[in-house]
Amino acid sequence: VDGITFDGQSHLILGNTITHAVTRGPDRVALSGATDNDGMHFFGRGTIVKKNVIKDIFQDESPEVNAPHSDCFQTWTNANSITFDSNYCELENSTIYAVPMEKFFMIETPSSSTSTVSNIQIVNNIFVSKSVATRWTIMEIGGNSCTTSYPLRNIAVTNNTFVHPGNYVADLAILLRCSSAVSIEDNAFYNFGNSAFPYIDQDMQNNSAVTISNNSVYTSTGVAPKGGPYAGDNNPATWMKNPAFQDVNQLNFHLTSASPLINRGITVPGVTSDYDGDARPQGAAFDIGSYEFVLP
C-alpha cells in the first residue's frame, strides 16, 4: 500500500524512510478503490514534511494489468499551506513497463470548485530518477483542464536538485498546467530537457503569473533543451554549464569549489538553510540547488 497518507492540520512528518510500497487490488481502471504504489498522499492544512526518504519503490513489484502510477508525493484535493523541505525522492527503473508512470510530485487540479490546492512550498529537496525511460520522470503540477475559479495557486519550487544520472536525458523536469502564481527559482536541473522539449513545459498555455528564474540547467549530452533558457535563467555562468557536483554517479550532489552554482541564486524569503541544515547564504548570495557550498 502507499507509504503514508496524511490529512488534518499542522502535522510534522519527519525523518521517515519509505520503501517497497506496492499496489493492492485489481487494476484501478477496471475497479475503483485499488491504490497506486506512491510514497505519500498529502491532504489537509499547515503540515511540514521534512527529512524523509522515499526510494526503492519498484513498479515491477506491482504487476497490475496497467502500469501502476508510482509517485513520491501526490495530492488532488484540499491540500493547503504544506511545506516539503529537505526530502530525498528516488525513482527506480522499471524493467516490465515500456512507459513507466513515475513522478517526483503529482499535484493535480482540484476536481471541484469546493476543494483547493494552494500554498505548496517545495524547497531544498533532492529528486533523482534512475529510470532509463525519458518520459514521466517529472514533477507534474496541474491537470488537463481547469476553470479560472479553481486552478492550483501559490506553488513555490525553490532550491531543489533534480538529477537523471548517466547519459539518459529526460524529456522534461516539470510539466506545468492550470496553475496560478507559481515560482520556480534557484533549482539545479541535470539531464532534463532536450531538442524536443523544454526542461519546464507549459504545453497547454493555461498558467498565469509564473516566475522562472535563476535555475541551472545542464545536460551531459550537450544538447540544450528546446527553446533555450527562460528569460530569468539566461545566465551564461549556469546555462548548460556542468554544475560540478561532487560525484553524480554516487548521488553526492554537494557542490565542489569549482561549481558555477555558488553565489548564483537569489534570496528566497523564508528559506534560511539548505538540505544539510547549513545556513543560507554562506557567501554573498544563495547557491543554486539543495546545498550551499560550505568551506571545509
Side-chain angles (χ1 to χ4, degrees):
V1 295
D2 295 324
I4 293 176
T5 297
F6 64 85
D7 204 334
Q9 297 186 22
S10 304
H11 302 301
L12 175 62
I13 312 296
L14 175 67
N16 300 279
T17 297
I18 299 171
T19 63
H20 298 281
V22 295
T23 300
R24 296 293 187 187
D27 170 53
R28 68 180 301 171
V29 176
L31 179 65
S32 63
T35 60
D36 296 325
N37 53 336
D38 299 327
M40 288 192 189
H41 285 169
F42 61 96
F43 310 99
R45 178 179 295 276
T47 289
I48 297 174
V49 182
K50 188 169 184 175
K51 301 299 288 187
N52 299 281
V53 174
I54 302 175
K55 60 181 294 186
D56 295 334
I57 298 177
F58 296 95
Q59 291 185 312
D60 302 13
E61 295 177 350
S62 299
E64 300 296 334
V65 177
N66 289 339
H69 195 281
S70 179
D71 310 314
C72 282
F73 303 98
Q74 184 182 20
T75 193
W76 55 89
T77 185
N78 287 331
N80 300 280
S81 301
I82 298 177
T83 298
F84 297 86
D85 185 354
S86 303
N87 301 283
Y88 179 88
C89 162
E90 181 178 295
L91 303 178
E92 314 303 336
N93 187 43
S94 171
T95 61
I96 62 175
Y97 295 115
V99 184
M101 298 286 284
E102 302 169 310
K103 296 183 177 70
F104 301 129
F105 262 86
M106 188 167 184
I107 304 175
E108 294 184 279
T109 307
S111 57
S112 74
S113 59
T114 61
S115 61
T116 58
V117 177
S118 66
N119 298 316
I120 307 296
Q121 184 178 41
I122 302 168
V123 59
N124 290 331
N125 301 282
I126 296 175
F127 300 107
V128 176
S129 172
K130 292 184 175 180
S131 174
V132 300
T134 59
R135 293 300 305 272
W136 306 114
T137 56
I138 59 174
M139 176 181 293
E140 182 173 345
I141 301 174
N144 292 337
S145 62
C146 65
T147 70
T148 56
S149 61
Y150 53 99
L152 299 171
R153 292 187 176 92
N154 299 321
I155 312 294
V157 182
T158 55
N159 283 108
N160 302 283
T161 297
F162 295 76
V163 176
H164 210 220
N167 288 320
Y168 293 101
V169 179
D171 287 345
L172 57 147
I174 297 176
L175 178 62
L176 187 61
R177 294 170 170 171
C178 192
S179 301
S180 177
V182 178
S183 59
I184 303 174
E185 301 172 304
D186 283 7
N187 301 285
F189 296 94
Y190 187 103
N191 279 350
F192 291 91
N194 54 34
S195 59
F197 290 92
Y199 77 98
I200 298 173
D201 192 12
Q202 303 183 66
D203 64 339
M204 290 190 172
Q205 301 301 318
N206 56 2
N207 303 303
S208 62
V210 175
T211 300
I212 299 174
S213 69
N214 290 81
N215 299 293
S216 165
V217 177
Y218 172 76
T219 66
S220 60
T221 61
V223 178
K226 179 181 178 180
Y230 281 86
D233 292 332
N234 194 14
N235 186 336
T238 60
W239 177 256
M240 290 299 292
K241 297 295 192 298
N242 193 318
F245 295 134
Q246 287 197 12
D247 194 328
V248 172
N249 291 332
Q250 295 300 315
L251 307 182
N252 184 344
F253 309 121
H254 289 87
L255 305 181
T256 64
S257 60
S259 175
L261 279 58
I262 296 173
N263 294 333
R264 297 291 183 178
I266 59 174
T267 300
V268 179
V271 178
T272 59
S273 60
D274 71 354
Y275 184 90
D276 284 340
D278 293 315
R280 289 189 189 271
Q282 290 286 312
F286 275 36
D287 298 345
I288 294 174
S290 301
Y291 292 108
E292 284 284 306
F293 175 70
V294 179
L295 289 171

